[in-house]
Amino acid sequence: LFERMPGMLKLIGLLPHQGGEMKAALDEADRIGARCVYGDVEFNQTINELKLSIGTIMANPSQLTSIPPPPSELAGVFSGFFGAGQHNQQQSSDPQQLVETIKTRDRAKQMTRYLNQCFPSIYHVMLAKRDAHMAKMLREHCSSGKVVAVVGMAHVEGIEREWETLDGKQKKPLLN
């Protein structure tokens, strides 16, 4: 299962085909005269930590029985992905189209909140830890005031939150 995970995530559009976003970032950075920096946690580190989190969950499968149902606004998305529950006729069963329906800030926020509620350790590995790292990297590399960031929709809220945290930790310049 773990070896097939990246391929499965690519198939449903949750893991991009490698290179496309980076090329777009490089092109945009050239266009506006900014540096382009890879700011995510190293992929293998994330996958290894994800394997540990999933392994911990699978070692105690009884905890899977206490997972709450998704909120009503996400029910159609989950029924489309997993074929469970009532399937809305207007909701597509095509994985690519389903992924497109969750690519809004509100939907991404709902999805990440639900992931954190159900699987906090996976949320920490896949989102919280990476959001903090990406915000720190963006802060370090945007001294010129220009930075190009290509991030997944699920990371936008967390990176903004971490950015504000970093703002609070930095000393404010003294007025003369």
Side-chain angles (χ1 to χ4, degrees):
L1 176 66
F2 290 126
E3 289 77 25
R4 293 189 308 229
M5 190 179 314
M8 291 174 3
L9 292 174
K10 277 185 188 178
L11 178 68
I12 63 171
L14 295 178
L15 185 64
H17 294 285
Q18 306 230 335
E21 286 84 359
M22 190 60 167
K23 179 169 179 354
L26 289 168
D27 290 345
E28 184 62 14
D30 284 344
R31 189 183 74 72
I32 68 169
R35 281 181 42 195
C36 190
V37 176
Y38 181 78
D40 202 348
V41 174
E42 200 274 319
F43 180 77
N44 287 331
Q45 178 182 345
T46 299
I47 290 297
N48 288 336
E49 291 177 14
L50 181 60
K51 287 177 183 179
L52 288 173
S53 292
I54 292 172
T56 301
I57 292 166
M58 298 313 289
N60 185 10
S62 63
Q63 66 185 331
L64 297 174
T65 61
S66 63
I67 295 173
S72 60
E73 58 272 6
L74 296 177
V77 173
F78 281 92
S79 68
F81 272 123
F82 303 112
Q86 294 288 32
H87 188 68
N88 182 341
Q89 292 296 335
Q90 295 179 340
Q91 183 76 43
S92 172
S93 61
D94 175 39
Q96 199 65 28
Q97 286 182 324
L98 287 168
V99 168
E100 291 304 315
T101 67
I102 64 173
K103 287 186 178 179
T104 67
R105 282 187 82 150
D106 285 342
R107 193 62 56 138
K109 192 185 310 185
Q110 294 163 349
M111 293 288 287
T112 57
R113 191 176 310 128
Y114 184 58
L115 176 64
N116 190 23
Q117 180 184 10
C118 297
F119 302 106
S121 63
I122 291 175
Y123 172 86
H124 177 75
V125 170
M126 294 301 296
L127 293 162
K129 184 176 180 178
R130 293 171 63 209
D131 294 347
H133 181 79
M134 287 187 271
K136 181 180 173 206
M137 294 299 290
L138 285 167
R139 178 60 63 119
E140 286 177 15
H141 294 286
C142 76
S143 59
S144 69
K146 293 181 184 179
V147 65
V148 174
V150 179
V151 300
M153 183 64 70
H155 293 286
V156 174
E157 294 287 328
I159 291 171
E160 288 177 346
R161 185 174 47 253
E162 292 296 328
W163 188 273
E164 290 172 11
T165 300
L166 291 170
D167 277 345
K169 290 180 181 177
Q170 288 191 337
K171 291 182 179 178
K172 303 291 181 193
L174 297 175
L175 298 175
N176 295 352

